Amino acid sequence: MKFKNIWTSVIIFYTIIILLCACGKQQQDTPDKLYLGITCYNQSDTFINQLVTCLKDKLSQFENDNFEVTMTIRDAAGSQRTQDDQVQELINAGCNILCVNLVDRADPSEIINLAKENNVPIIFFNREPVAEDMMRWEMLYYVGADAKQSGIMQGELALSAIQANKNIDRNKDGKIQYAVLEGEPGHQDAIIRTENAVDTLKNNGIELEKLCCGIANWNRAQAQNRMMHIISQHQNNIELVLANNDDMALGAIDAYKKLNYTESALPVFFGIDGTDVGLNAVKDLELAGTVYNDKEGQAAAIAKLAVEIISKKEITNKYTYLPYSKVTSDNVNDFLNKDK
Ligand code: GAL
Ligand code: CA
């Protein structure tokens, strides 16, 4: 009996030693350094610029004595060729995770091939690759938000405004004459936002008359130009402007200001994003509402995912979508003070 006990103790002792060795080895395999290579489709895009600033902040929060975080940020300035070269350069520089905000969301092949050959995982963000491309390697992830939800919320904001203020229907014909300013063609956040905003109004009994739709590629100056043109065609008849993002809504407001329109002749404007300029315009009652695109949440999700991948944690979701929120002058201060 005594003999048996000794053997049991010996076996337990060696099992513990083997387990300890295995743990030690695993720790050795885990790099204690995260070197993130980030490339953006265009850093002059207001929302992307703020999202990247948030990302720097969220990543630095993971840094401690045992875990070093470094990042290099590149701006592809609208060229997919440039972005492909940047990915090669970031891999050569030793990045162990890539964060890619694709220029052309339908053309990530070159980047995926490079990453796969060099075994560097990719977290795509904001510009979603098609599902087929996402399936090409298990180390591809996406962080973003659900375009449909933002469209529905913009429609709901416009619905509440129209129901609360009968004067929005300025010519009192029982219909709302509207114009749309759309983001880049082919972007998951452009057509889906427009369709869902318009459908939400229609499904809630608002009669609509579409006057015009202009593409302004998320850009304030382009939106101002498009809107000047739309106003020259429709003068005082526009009652509502639905813009796929805040910068384009602000560009539309710029156009009216430039033409010296009086306040009573202005339509109501709605944006999406809740960028700093967008929120301030809501506070100043120039924008009737916006839909908050949670850049802090997206940045935190990207940072957490990057750390988990490096630490070889098991990751079950390839996709992370952060929820949007509605913003009006009633709650805008909560968003303006978000990170303070
Ligand atoms: C959208 C955002 C736009 C623009 C675009 C760039 O989600 O609403 O303002 O930044 O992404 O891909
Ligand atoms: Ca009307």
Side-chain angles (χ1 to χ4, degrees), residues 138-196:
E138 69 272 17
M139 298 305 261
L140 304 177
Y141 303 89
Y142 178 71
V143 175
D146 174 18
K148 184 172 176 182
Q149 186 192 34
S150 57
I152 292 175
M153 286 186 169
Q154 189 183 55
E156 287 170 352
L157 285 168
L159 175 69
S160 310
I162 293 164
Q163 284 170 340
N165 180 1
K166 298 289 168 229
N167 293 329
I168 290 178
D169 177 15
R170 276 203 317 275
N171 64 355
K172 306 282 178 243
D173 67 347
K175 292 186 213 156
I176 301 295
Q177 280 70 27
Y178 75 101
V180 172
L181 286 169
E182 221 154 47
E184 292 163 272
H187 192 297
Q188 83 277 347
D189 289 340
I191 291 181
I192 297 178
R193 283 180 178 168
T194 310
E195 274 175 5
N196 284 283

Side-chain angles (χ1 to χ4, degrees), residues 199-315:
D199 286 352
T200 302
L201 286 166
K202 284 188 183 156
N203 295 341
N204 283 283
I206 303 293
E207 269 209 65
L208 292 174
E209 185 187 341
K210 181 173 175 178
L211 296 180
C212 203
C213 175
I215 293 174
N217 300 307
W218 312 118
N219 181 282
R220 184 165 177 164
Q222 284 185 40
Q224 181 185 327
N225 278 336
R226 296 298 310 149
M227 202 64 211
M228 299 278 276
H229 186 68
I230 297 172
I231 298 169
S232 74
Q233 286 178 322
H234 299 283
Q235 284 93 31
N236 277 354
N237 295 333
I238 309 156
E239 297 172 339
L240 165 69
V241 174
L242 296 173
N244 285 167
N245 77 343
D246 286 353
D247 260 19
M248 294 191 293
L250 293 168
I253 297 172
D254 294 341
Y256 279 94
K257 282 188 182 159
K258 203 163 175 188
L259 295 169
N260 287 322
Y261 265 65
T262 54
E263 214 169 292
S264 59
L266 292 185
V268 278
F269 304 88
F270 291 91
I272 292 179
D273 276 342
T275 52
D276 291 347
V277 271
L279 292 176
N280 279 309
V282 173
K283 195 177 162 88
D284 296 342
L285 307 178
E286 288 190 325
L287 255 187
T290 187
V291 179
Y292 199 75
N293 197 351
D294 184 3
K295 55 184 182 309
E296 289 82 8
Q298 291 164 33
I302 295 170
K304 182 165 168 270
L305 190 58
V307 173
E308 282 174 356
I309 297 171
I310 286 301
S311 321
K312 302 219 164 15
K313 282 226 175 89
E314 200 199 334
I315 296 153

Side-chain angles (χ1 to χ4, degrees), residues 55-73:
L55 184 55
K56 284 191 230 166
D57 174 50
K58 301 286 176 194
L59 274 165
S60 62
Q61 290 173 17
F62 281 96
E63 202 157 23
N64 60 43
D65 291 346
N66 304 316
F67 194 71
E68 192 189 323
V69 180
T70 322
M71 57 200 121
T72 299
I73 302 169

